[in-house]
């Protein structure tokens, strides 16, 4: 995995209401290319605002943003260039899907990149197949279920082949099957070399999936580290109203009782924990 | 409206080339309106009805129910044309009303009959189009016909957001009813007003967010999307041409020789 910094924020300030309150309050962070990153924090801690700043939709009042070492510029051409590389999947698909036809919807972004129609057609077909949209591709957007809309809104972005994808609470209001599908899509993105940032409240998922976890609090980064570091830091979790992941808690409880070996690397998901329990010598 | 929308997505003719359907409906409609004869209109009504029901797969009962919608308007307005209040009675019938007569002439009866038939024939053409062709396909035809892009983009957005607005409105209305927002006439009036203002605020907020989302996908002021419709088929075009030419000559004949 390369160590190149793909996205860097340096002391960002952003306020929606002319400096009465700050949604971003001196936020600084660095994202390395190809990483899987979970952004966590209470509602209103600045995750979505940060995402909008990353695509240049919002311009921070103070501070600087860098994409691959190059500072953000806000003229039209630079913005279009930036947005072709930074994709964002919004939390509510109804705010993102504007076409009644699924096919037209997906074609919008890639045509904006100036790709010729013939090639765009192929790309759209590919992504429809890849994300299993075929069964409902001929239905109008208003007849789709929440999960199907989410699939389309991810396809919208994937078809543009961005280098980094920001997903704002992708699992919100989805049924378990669609959460699984979204998680698979995220894994596919990582395999394709795309850097993925997910804003999420699901500690268990973040613990098992992420390479790095960033805790946001009141527009600032409270803690940035590996999932184990972050989720073992009880005071930081308490400050951001998060619970530790169940697997980690259980592992630590078992280790304290001497049932499991506490010096080994803690398991990151349920199957790993089960294996650890099955492999221990027993009474 | 929503019923029509659902019907057209399930129509068996949905995947036919929208240009063909548009041409058939448009040309037939023009002939029907220009000829204004009962015979031509009947042929049009029958042809469009049979195509919609039999080829398109719309249930007959639903189709007939949809046909009665304009019929009510039509009968009311034709009464206004048909009946006269005059001092002298006309030839069809006359009801004395003091010094005046409520009366009608044979000519006006024939005129109203022509009007009703022409209107129903035209409506059946439009129903054919709207029961078989989803809105996005129609927009593609409009693009082909060089309809201004601004207009088409507006139609595209409005069409999508009608449904979101309706869903939001019904969700708010439900939540109002759950809290006894309609317990009497006064309260329901007040709830309705609140619903209106809440919808307005949400619509504005949503339009802002939609714009952000479109910008994030490199929106530059023009909505460009791919078209998905199938190419037109020669046999279908030939059928449309044969039918409409025959209809045209039939209309000419009824108009000048009938």
């Amino acid at each position: 995995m390369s160590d190149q910094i793909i996205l860097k924020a340096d002391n960002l300030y952003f306020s929606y209401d002319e400096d009465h309150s700050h949604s971003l309050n001196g936020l600084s962070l660095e994202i390395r290319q190809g990483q899987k990153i979970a952004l966590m924090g209470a509602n209103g801690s600045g995750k979505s605002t940060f995402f909008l700043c990353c695509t240049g939709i919002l311009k921070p009042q103070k501070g600087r943003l860098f994409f691959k070492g190059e500072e953000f510029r806000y003229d039209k051409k630079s913005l279009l260039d930036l947005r072709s590389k930074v994709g964002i999947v919004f939390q509510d698909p109804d705010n993102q899907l504007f076409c009644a036809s699924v096919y037209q919807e997906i074609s919008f972004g890639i045509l904006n990149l100036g790709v010729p129609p013939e090639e765009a057609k192929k790309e759209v077909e590919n992504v429809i197949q890849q994300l299993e949209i075929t069964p409902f591709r001929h239905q109008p957007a208003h007849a789709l279920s929440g999960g199907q809309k989410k699939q389309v809104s991810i396809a919208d972005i994937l078809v543009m082949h961005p280098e980094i994808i920001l997903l704002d609470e992708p699992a919100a209001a989805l049924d378990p099957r669609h959460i699984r599908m979204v998680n698979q899509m995220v894994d596919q993105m990582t395999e394709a070399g795309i850097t993925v940032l997910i804003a999420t409240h699901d500690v268990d998922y973040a613990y098992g999936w992420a390479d790095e976890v960033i805790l946001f609090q009141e527009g600032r980064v409270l803690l940035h580290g590996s999932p184990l570091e972050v989720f073992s830091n009880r005071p930081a979790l308490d400050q951001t109203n998060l619970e530790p992941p169940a697997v980690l808690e259980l592992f630590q409880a078992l280790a304290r009782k001497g049932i499991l070996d506490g010096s080994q690397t803690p398991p990151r998901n349920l199957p790993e924990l089960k294996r650890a329990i099955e492999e221990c010598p027993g009474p | 409206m929503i019923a029509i929308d659902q019907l057209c997505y399930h129509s068996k003719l949905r995947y036919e080339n929208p240009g063909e359907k548009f041409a058939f409906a448009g040309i037939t409609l023009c002939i029907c309106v220009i000829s204004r004869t009962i015979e031509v209109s009947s042929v049009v009504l029958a042809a469009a009805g049979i195509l919609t029901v039999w080829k398109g797969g719309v249930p007959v009962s639903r189709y007939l129910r949809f046909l009665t919608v304009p019929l009510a308007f039509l009968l009311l307005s034709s009464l206004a044309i048909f009946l006269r209040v005059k001092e002298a009675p006309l030839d069809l019938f006359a009801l004395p009303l003091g010094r005046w007569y409520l009366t009608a002439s044979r000519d006006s009866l024939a005129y109203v009959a022509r009007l009703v038939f022409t209107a129903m024939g035209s409506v059946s053409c439009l129903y054919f189009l709207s029961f078989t062709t989803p809105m996005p396909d129609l927009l593609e035809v409009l693009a082909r016909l060089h309809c201004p892009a601004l207009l088409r983009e507006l139609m595209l957005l409005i069409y999508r957001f009608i449904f979101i607005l309706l869903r939001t409105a019904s969700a708010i209305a439900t939540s109002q009813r759950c809290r006894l927002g309609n317990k009497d006439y006064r309260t329901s009036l007040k709830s309705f007003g609140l619903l209106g203002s809440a919808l307005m605020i949400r619509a504005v907020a949503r339009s802002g967010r939609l714009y952000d989302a479109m910008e994030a996908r490199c929106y530059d002021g023009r909505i460009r999307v791919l078209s998905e419709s199938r190419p037109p088929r020669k046999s279908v075009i030939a059928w449309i041409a044969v039918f409409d030419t025959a209809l045209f000559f039939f209309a000419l004949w009824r108009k000048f020789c009938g």
Side-chain angles (χ1 to χ4, degrees):
Chain A
M1 214 162 276
S2 89
D3 271 351
Q4 200 194 354
I5 307 287
I6 188 164
L7 196 70
K8 179 178 166 181
D10 181 17
N11 207 21
L12 299 184
Y13 284 86
F14 185 87
S15 162
Y16 284 101
D17 51 4
E18 289 165 7
D19 292 336
H20 291 301
S21 63
H22 282 91
S23 298
L24 298 183
N25 208 352
L27 181 94
S28 301
L29 54 80
E30 285 181 350
I31 308 286
R32 281 179 300 135
Q33 193 158 17
Q35 294 289 91
K36 301 182 277 190
I37 292 149
L39 292 187
M40 310 201 71
N43 291 332
S45 59
K47 301 183 300 283
S48 301
T49 310
F50 172 65
F51 277 176
L52 290 175
C53 285
C54 291
T55 49
I57 303 260
L58 298 179
K59 187 180 174 189
Q61 278 113 4
K62 261 199 289 181
R64 294 183 302 170
L65 276 156
F66 300 87
F67 182 78
K68 287 191 167 172
E70 231 176 283
E71 189 170 348
F72 277 30
R73 276 174 300 157
Y74 292 88
D75 58 288
K76 198 169 172 183
K77 200 182 155 294
S78 319
L79 278 181
L80 288 181
D81 192 44
L82 174 74
R83 288 168 189 165
S84 68
K85 292 177 187 135
V86 183
I88 172 165
V89 178
F90 289 84
Q91 182 179 354
D92 181 356
D94 273 337
N95 288 334
Q96 192 183 323
L97 311 184
F98 67 92
C99 269
S101 138
V102 168
Y103 184 82
Q104 293 187 346
E105 175 66 43
I106 300 174
S107 70
F108 173 71
I110 187 162
L111 288 179
N112 284 340
L113 298 182
V115 173
E118 279 312 308
E119 209 178 306
K121 248 176 212 169
K122 263 186 240 149
E123 292 282 350
V124 173
E125 291 294 341
N126 278 346
V127 84
I128 282 179
Q129 195 148 48
Q130 189 194 341
L131 298 195
E132 299 172 35
I133 289 171
T134 318
F136 54 88
R137 65 178 290 181
H138 290 301
Q139 283 185 36
H142 49 263
L144 302 184
S145 73
Q148 292 170 332
K149 282 184 197 166
K150 184 55 94 180
Q151 277 171 271
V152 175
S153 65
I154 293 177
D156 274 355
I157 305 305
L158 264 189
V159 75
M160 297 172 75
H161 298 295
E163 294 182 29
I164 176 165
I165 292 190
L166 321 171
L167 296 118
D168 197 353
E169 294 187 30
L174 295 190
D175 60 33
R177 180 172 152 259
H178 280 98
I179 293 181
R180 254 196 322 276
M181 285 177 86
V182 167
N183 293 348
Q184 277 167 11
M185 288 173 201
V186 168
D187 292 341
Q188 286 176 14
M189 293 175 200
T190 310
E191 272 165 38
I194 303 171
T195 313
V196 185
L197 259 77
I198 298 186
T200 178
H201 295 299
D202 185 343
V203 278
D204 294 312
Y205 177 67
Y207 177 63
W209 168 79
D211 296 322
E212 294 171 30
V213 176
I214 305 177
L215 285 188
F216 272 43
Q217 195 196 19
E218 289 168 5
R220 243 176 300 206
V221 173
L222 182 70
L223 193 60
H224 182 165
S226 74
L228 190 58
E229 269 175 74
V230 172
F231 290 122
S232 311
N233 189 329
R234 215 39 211 256
L237 291 183
D238 286 341
Q239 275 186 62
T240 45
N241 304 322
L242 291 171
E243 297 290 329
V247 169
L248 187 61
E249 282 258 272
L250 194 55
F251 172 78
Q252 283 165 347
L254 290 172
R256 270 198 303 277
K257 275 276 180 199
I259 298 169
L260 286 180
D261 173 15
S263 61
Q264 62 176 315
T265 345
R268 293 188 62 179
N269 48 41
L270 209 51
E272 277 184 30
L273 178 65
K274 269 191 194 152
R275 204 173 323 127
I277 293 172
E278 273 155 20
E279 278 167 8
C280 81
Chain B
M1 193 202 74
I2 300 213
I4 295 183
D5 189 69
Q6 280 169 353
L7 280 177
C8 79
Y9 280 102
H10 292 117
S11 167
K12 282 190 272 174
L13 290 174
R14 179 184 161 193
Y15 295 116
E16 289 297 322
N17 179 277
E20 291 165 353
K21 290 181 278 191
F22 191 83
F24 171 76
I27 298 171
T28 313
L29 174 73
C30 287
I31 297 177
C32 175
V33 170
I34 293 169
S35 87
R36 288 231 178 169
T37 57
I38 294 180
E39 294 85 345
V40 173
S41 305
S42 317
V43 172
V44 170
L45 185 59
I50 288 170
L51 276 181
T52 315
V53 171
W54 178 54
K55 282 279 187 186
V58 176
V60 186
S61 55
R62 285 193 90 172
Y63 185 71
L64 290 178
R65 212 161 344 122
F66 272 109
L67 274 184
T68 57
V69 175
L71 209 58
F73 286 103
L74 209 56
L75 289 179
L76 278 180
S77 51
S78 48
L79 269 185
I81 301 171
F82 180 55
L83 294 175
R84 291 288 146 103
V85 179
K86 281 189 176 271
E87 285 181 37
L90 295 172
D91 52 359
L92 187 62
F93 72 90
L95 287 174
L97 297 169
R99 239 160 40 78
W100 300 73
Y101 291 95
L102 181 66
T103 179
S105 70
R106 277 177 211 287
D107 279 352
S108 65
L109 178 66
Y111 180 72
V112 163
R114 275 211 306 279
L115 203 67
V116 170
F117 270 87
T118 311
M120 291 314 288
S122 316
V123 165
S124 71
C125 287
L126 291 178
Y127 273 179
F128 168 75
L129 191 63
S130 42
F131 284 1
T132 56
T133 319
M135 190 67 179
D137 294 6
L138 275 183
L139 290 177
E140 280 172 26
V141 179
L142 289 179
R144 232 20 101 59
L145 296 175
H146 299 286
C147 169
L150 180 69
L151 218 59
R152 282 186 285 117
E153 287 170 10
L154 273 177
M155 287 165 76
L156 178 109
L157 293 176
I158 290 171
Y159 175 67
R160 168 85 177 100
F161 280 90
I162 282 173
F163 293 96
I164 295 183
L165 200 72
L166 284 177
R167 221 186 39 219
T168 317
S170 91
I172 296 177
T174 309
S175 89
Q176 286 180 336
R177 276 201 301 281
C178 292
R179 288 172 287 163
L180 306 185
N182 59 345
K183 74 176 161 62
D184 53 33
Y185 184 63
R186 265 181 75 88
T187 339
S188 41
L189 270 189
K190 188 156 174 267
S191 303
F192 188 70
L194 289 172
L195 174 106
S197 63
L199 263 190
M200 173 71 197
I201 294 166
R202 290 204 196 176
V204 171
R206 201 180 267 283
S207 74
R209 271 185 240 124
L210 177 80
Y211 183 72
D212 285 351
M214 285 170 77
E215 274 218 294
R217 286 197 278 158
C218 302
Y219 176 58
D220 58 1
R222 284 295 309 281
I223 297 178
R224 281 173 297 256
V225 289
L226 285 177
S227 117
E228 203 186 6
S229 57
R230 277 126 230 248
R233 283 185 302 175
K234 284 210 180 88
S235 62
V236 178
I237 296 177
W239 272 111
I240 295 172
V242 166
F243 175 80
D244 279 324
T245 318
L247 188 71
F248 178 70
F249 284 112
F250 180 59
L252 274 187
W253 177 62
R254 290 308 311 165
K255 193 98 184 159
F256 297 110
C257 315

